[in-house]
Amino acid sequence: MYSENIIKFDQMKRYFFDQDTSIKFLEYLIGKGTVIAPHKKGETSYSFKKVDDVNEVVFDYSRTIQPLKKFFLPPQETLLNFNLTDNSFSEPEVVEEKKIFFAIHSYEMQSIRRLDYSFTKGNPESNYLSKRENSCFIGISFEPDEWHFSKSVGIEIEKLEGFCLFFEPVENGHLVFEVNETGREMLSEFGAGVLVDTPLDFEITDKHFKAKIKYHYNRLPQVFEHVYHSKVWDKVAEKCVGCGTCNLLCATCYCFDVRDEVDLNMINGKRERFWDSCMLNSFAEVAGGDDFRDKLSFRTRHRLFRKFKYITEESGELQCVGCGRCSRFCPAQINIVDIINDLIVDYTEQQEKQVI
Amino acid sequence: MEAMAVESKKLYNPLMSKILKVDILTETEKRFEIILPEDQILGHKPGQFVEVSIFGYGEAPISICSSPTKTPGFELTVRKTGRLTDKMHLLEKGGQLGIRGPFGNGFDVEPFQKKDMLFVCGGIGLAPLKSLIDYTIAKRDDFGRLMILYGTKNPSEILFKEDIEVWQNQDDIEFHMTVDRSDEDWKGNVGVITTLIPPLKLDTSNTIATVVGPPIMYKFVMLALKSKRIPDENIYLSLERRMKCGVGKCGHCQINNSYVCQEGPVYPYPRIKQLEEAI
């Protein structure tokens, strides 16, 4: 598959940026809009945030703790401002600004495409879509660590869909590929007369994933058709502490809670939504206290079925993008790739029994 | 966002609506008649719900209990169970409520034409079914027999007493009710609602059964209906979940691959059988 991308790259215009040029390019981008990029957060962690100092942008990173969704579906978001004295309300003002997301990994880009689907289908939601407008994405290649498995869910490191430009690290700098028209315009404005098309005689290092799902990603929805009653769910539930971190850090989880918060003056208040988690025990509770997913094994199953079957049945795409956050940050060291591979074993055994 | 030329909507803005009337039904239930601004018609189907809110107290899904034939207002029956509903119970005529909706899939009455209708209502489940009962009464000629079975835990929980008195005395409606536990003044049936089903003489293939009640009731009622040989596809259930957003986004009402606020709350029984988490 890697060579296919090289061919794809080969048909694209590309330029060599040394570190200095990349920094200048970031400065140019800041002049065009709000630039959001990965930054260091502590010694070993990373976070997407607005770029104030171009020198603090990190090009080579494993993954941020919070996914990119926080810019389109913030952890806490005001839906309405209301006034208790006259029951009037208004929507929060939408700040119209161009947002440029820099140094984005392909799984992250694909997570946004998944969210686009969920917030567009049925009832298109203005809260999400208005934030999504005027945003463009500049991709970057990465070296997979032990938790990345995006290739196993069909997302190559160099999957370019959604990007306007793509950065590929080479010796002493990056090759910058012109993915679409927006990218072309950016580069021609930035480097008018300076940039020259670079021949592809740089060596791009091959990248390998350590974590792998045993079956082809197109087969996974079929596997999920047969594992609803698998014993794997109980096995996972024995370790799971039900904290919901996997949902909150998932690049494609979008369930939310809505609450009213009243100011201390008892006159004004806000109707707000918050990220919520289907792994928490109160999530599926109904009025009167009944809970139809009252076991951790049921809730784990629901979380995984949303990633590999329920939404996929409609959208045709797996919801899991293989970022590895749920495994990397799980306090109980539960690994999603292990769960899926265990389910595959269970499925294969079932199939063999049927043959006998 | 080039590829997404979609018209996005303000999904969470309520219509500030006025309470026209409040009736006390029981110690814990009140009925509210509500009218949308500028006398707009809600335009609901029987079985649908609205999201009701009071600023500062939040929002909750509540079934519409009046027939769409009754306009311009609509009615909600609300049990006091939490912050929002406690506050609602303090409101009087002229008070304001935020309304979004109607949401969800209600009863599609088209296939019910000329059929015998069997309503099985447990407790507050009578409220959502009342929108369909009232509709079938308003369009009485379009339906065969109307049979209403109603069960509550005890006589003090009986809703819509005035309507029930009318139903009991009307020749073209068969009404039967029971209570789980009687009190001194109770002279009617005692026992769970399933005891009302065996005595019925039904033209099974021509009967539509609609069932709404607490989760525990469904399994036993389904067994009783099965022994009456009513085909699964003639049975409809309405499920209760916490539909927080009403528009298929928040995820709270999801049962397997079904968002109750979109595909439900009314489901044909064969579909329920595919949803393991349903009942």
Side-chain angles (χ1 to χ4, degrees):
Chain A
M1 285 302 280
Y2 196 77
S3 54
E4 250 179 58
N5 281 307
I6 299 290
I7 295 165
K8 202 156 57 179
F9 279 161
D10 203 27
Q11 294 158 346
M12 252 172 237
K13 281 202 171 174
R14 66 235 159 225
Y15 305 93
F16 175 74
F17 278 26
D18 59 16
Q19 198 54 29
D20 212 33
T21 315
S22 292
I23 293 293
K24 284 204 183 90
F25 182 60
L26 270 168
E27 277 163 356
Y28 156 79
L29 290 179
I30 285 175
K32 305 302 287 180
T34 301
V35 182
I36 290 139
H39 288 69
K40 265 202 156 200
K41 189 185 170 109
E43 275 310 296
T44 52
S45 301
Y46 303 95
S47 162
F48 288 122
K49 57 175 214 166
K50 183 173 175 272
V51 179
D52 293 319
D53 177 353
V54 289
N55 292 302
E56 285 181 2
V57 172
V58 183
F59 286 67
D60 182 15
Y61 67 106
S62 53
R63 66 177 67 66
T64 56
I65 299 174
Q66 285 194 333
L68 205 59
K69 74 175 176 189
K70 70 176 181 179
F71 294 97
F72 310 107
L73 180 68
Q76 177 177 356
E77 179 185 9
T78 301
L79 300 177
L80 301 172
N81 293 302
F82 55 76
N83 183 310
L84 291 174
T85 40
D86 61 0
N87 267 335
S88 62
F89 68 89
S90 60
E91 293 156 41
E93 263 179 61
V94 181
V95 187
E96 278 191 36
E97 50 168 7
K98 188 172 173 65
K99 277 166 292 182
I100 303 160
F101 296 89
F102 183 79
I104 304 303
H105 295 165
S106 57
Y107 56 79
E108 204 80 53
M109 185 67 243
Q110 287 302 310
S111 76
I112 302 301
R113 311 285 295 187
R114 304 296 187 277
L115 291 175
D116 288 350
Y117 173 81
S118 297
F119 281 96
T120 312
K121 70 145 192 202
N123 299 297
E125 196 208 83
S126 60
N127 302 69
Y128 174 88
L129 294 172
S130 63
K131 291 187 185 61
R132 188 64 181 77
E133 267 165 29
N134 295 320
S135 50
C136 74
F137 302 85
I138 297 172
I140 198 161
S141 183
F142 64 97
E143 183 64 48
D145 67 9
E146 59 188 294
W147 291 285
H148 287 113
F149 62 101
S150 42
K151 186 169 177 164
S152 288
V153 288
I155 303 167
E156 297 285 339
I157 291 170
E158 290 87 3
K159 189 168 177 74
L160 301 173
E161 183 194 21
F163 292 128
C164 59
L165 295 171
F166 193 84
F167 278 56
E168 183 72 53
V170 288
E171 216 179 337
N172 299 321
H174 289 88
L175 276 186
V176 180
F177 291 88
E178 222 176 70
V179 182
N180 69 11
E181 188 55 26
T182 312
R184 195 192 66 75
E185 282 168 15
M186 254 182 208
L187 287 186
S188 72
E189 192 182 66
F190 165 68
V194 182
L195 287 177
V196 283
D197 205 359
T198 315
L200 192 65
D201 54 1
F202 289 88
E203 195 172 327
I204 298 173
T205 50
D206 227 341
K207 299 165 194 76
H208 298 284
F209 282 88
K210 294 162 198 87
K212 283 186 186 112
I213 293 174
K214 290 178 196 170
Y215 278 2
H216 189 275
Y217 52 88
N218 281 340
R219 199 177 169 185
L220 298 179
Q222 198 191 5
V223 171
F224 271 74
E225 264 170 45
H226 295 88
V227 294
Y228 192 81
H229 295 288
S230 170
K231 55 192 180 301
V232 171
W233 306 118
D234 292 320
K235 209 179 98 184
V236 178
E238 276 173 29
K239 282 176 79 180
C240 178
V241 294
C243 67
T245 301
C246 47
N247 292 128
L248 300 185
L249 299 185
C250 177
T252 62
C253 271
Y254 59 89
C255 291
F256 56 84
D257 190 22
V258 181
R259 295 199 291 272
D260 284 4
E261 307 279 340
V262 179
D263 293 351
L264 285 174
N265 65 14
M266 296 301 282
I267 296 170
N268 302 106
K270 295 182 179 96
R271 181 157 293 167
E272 295 188 299
R273 73 164 154 201
F274 300 81
W275 286 356
D276 208 346
S277 163
C278 66
M279 289 301 295
L280 299 179
N281 57 9
S282 58
F283 186 84
E285 233 174 48
V286 302
D290 276 301
D291 186 349
F292 296 85
R293 280 193 295 274
D294 55 358
K295 286 186 181 169
L296 266 174
S297 57
F298 297 168
R299 299 200 286 276
T300 305
R301 177 172 65 196
H302 186 70
R303 176 169 82 88
L304 272 283
F305 267 71
R306 275 182 61 99
K307 299 297 153 198
F308 291 92
K309 188 164 188 289
Y310 296 156
I311 302 171
T312 308
E313 282 170 352
E314 293 174 19
S315 71
E317 286 186 292
L318 298 178
Q319 281 296 103
C320 176
V321 294
C323 66
R325 285 185 178 95
C326 56
S327 310
R328 168 68 183 81
F329 300 109
C330 175
Q333 277 94 49
I334 293 167
N335 189 309
I336 190 169
V337 174
D338 292 344
I339 299 176
I340 296 161
N341 284 335
D342 286 350
L343 290 171
I344 288 172
V345 170
D346 212 11
Y347 167 74
T348 313
E349 281 172 9
Q350 272 181 47
Q351 300 298 307
E352 282 164 3
K353 266 185 213 157
Q354 280 177 11
V355 174
I356 297 161
Chain B
M1 284 268 300
E2 332 76 42
M4 302 179 61
V6 183
E7 200 199 327
S8 59
K9 294 179 205 145
K10 311 279 182 200
L11 300 176
Y12 307 116
N13 294 6
L15 286 173
M16 297 316 293
S17 309
K18 209 163 80 182
I19 298 172
L20 293 179
K21 197 170 168 231
V22 183
D23 296 316
I24 299 169
L25 299 182
T26 70
E27 260 178 44
T28 50
E29 272 106 0
K30 283 186 178 181
R31 174 171 52 192
F32 296 82
E33 190 185 348
I34 297 159
I35 189 133
L36 297 177
E38 291 152 19
D39 293 2
Q40 281 177 70
I41 309 285
L42 183 64
H44 68 287
K45 273 164 69 174
Q48 282 191 302
F49 68 94
V50 287
E51 294 284 348
V52 183
S53 68
I54 300 174
F55 289 133
Y57 295 84
E59 200 173 38
I62 294 174
S63 298
I64 303 152
C65 69
S66 57
S67 165
T69 53
K70 191 184 176 199
T71 53
F74 61 95
E75 294 169 358
L76 306 174
T77 297
V78 180
R79 175 180 286 176
K80 251 173 100 153
T81 54
R83 236 170 94 72
L84 173 70
T85 50
D86 287 355
K87 179 69 181 174
M88 274 184 84
H89 271 241
L90 297 176
L91 295 181
E92 292 168 358
K93 181 181 171 180
Q96 270 196 323
L97 290 169
I99 299 288
R100 294 191 296 125
F103 293 125
N105 244 328
F107 292 100
D108 188 4
V109 289
E110 207 43 48
F112 299 170
Q113 300 287 307
K114 300 294 168 202
K115 302 276 187 190
D116 293 346
M117 300 296 294
L118 173 62
F119 304 96
V120 185
C121 329
I124 200 168
L126 177 58
L129 267 183
K130 193 165 174 294
S131 63
L132 183 61
I133 293 170
D134 284 356
Y135 178 85
T136 55
I137 292 172
K139 306 255 179 188
R140 187 64 190 84
D141 292 347
D142 296 346
F143 300 93
R145 293 163 69 192
L146 298 187
M147 296 164 274
I148 306 168
L149 311 183
Y150 179 37
T152 64
K153 279 195 190 123
N154 54 62
S156 69
E157 292 182 8
I158 297 169
L159 300 170
F160 310 118
K161 291 193 183 99
E162 286 167 22
D163 295 274
I164 286 175
E165 209 186 305
V166 175
W167 297 343
Q168 279 172 326
N169 292 309
Q170 207 132 340
D171 290 344
D172 58 351
I173 295 170
E174 299 160 55
F175 179 83
H176 307 281
M177 78 165 296
T178 181
V179 295
D180 295 355
R181 286 178 300 276
S182 64
D183 61 15
E184 290 155 15
D185 303 326
W186 181 252
K187 294 184 183 66
N189 296 315
V190 178
V192 292
I193 190 161
T194 41
T195 58
L196 298 177
I197 297 173
L200 292 173
K201 291 197 168 33
L202 301 174
D203 175 4
T204 48
S205 63
N206 195 46
T207 301
I208 299 288
T210 57
V211 188
V212 187
I216 181 84
M217 188 188 96
Y218 287 117
K219 280 176 189 165
F220 296 105
V221 168
M222 287 306 117
L223 286 173
L225 293 178
K226 209 179 171 90
S227 61
K228 278 283 174 191
R229 298 182 190 285
I230 295 180
D232 285 353
E233 59 271 23
N234 285 8
I235 303 174
Y236 295 81
L237 282 71
S238 178
L239 300 183
E240 187 188 5
R241 288 297 187 277
R242 216 168 60 169
M243 294 84 95
K244 282 216 155 188
C245 75
V247 292
K249 305 288 182 224
C250 81
H252 283 270
C253 70
Q254 193 178 7
I255 302 175
N256 299 106
N257 64 350
S258 179
Y259 277 76
V260 178
C261 73
Q262 301 295 294
E263 191 185 348
V266 175
Y267 291 87
Y269 187 47
R271 175 63 176 139
I272 296 271
K273 286 167 104 181
Q274 297 170 349
L275 302 171
E276 301 220 20
E277 293 170 343
I279 54 177

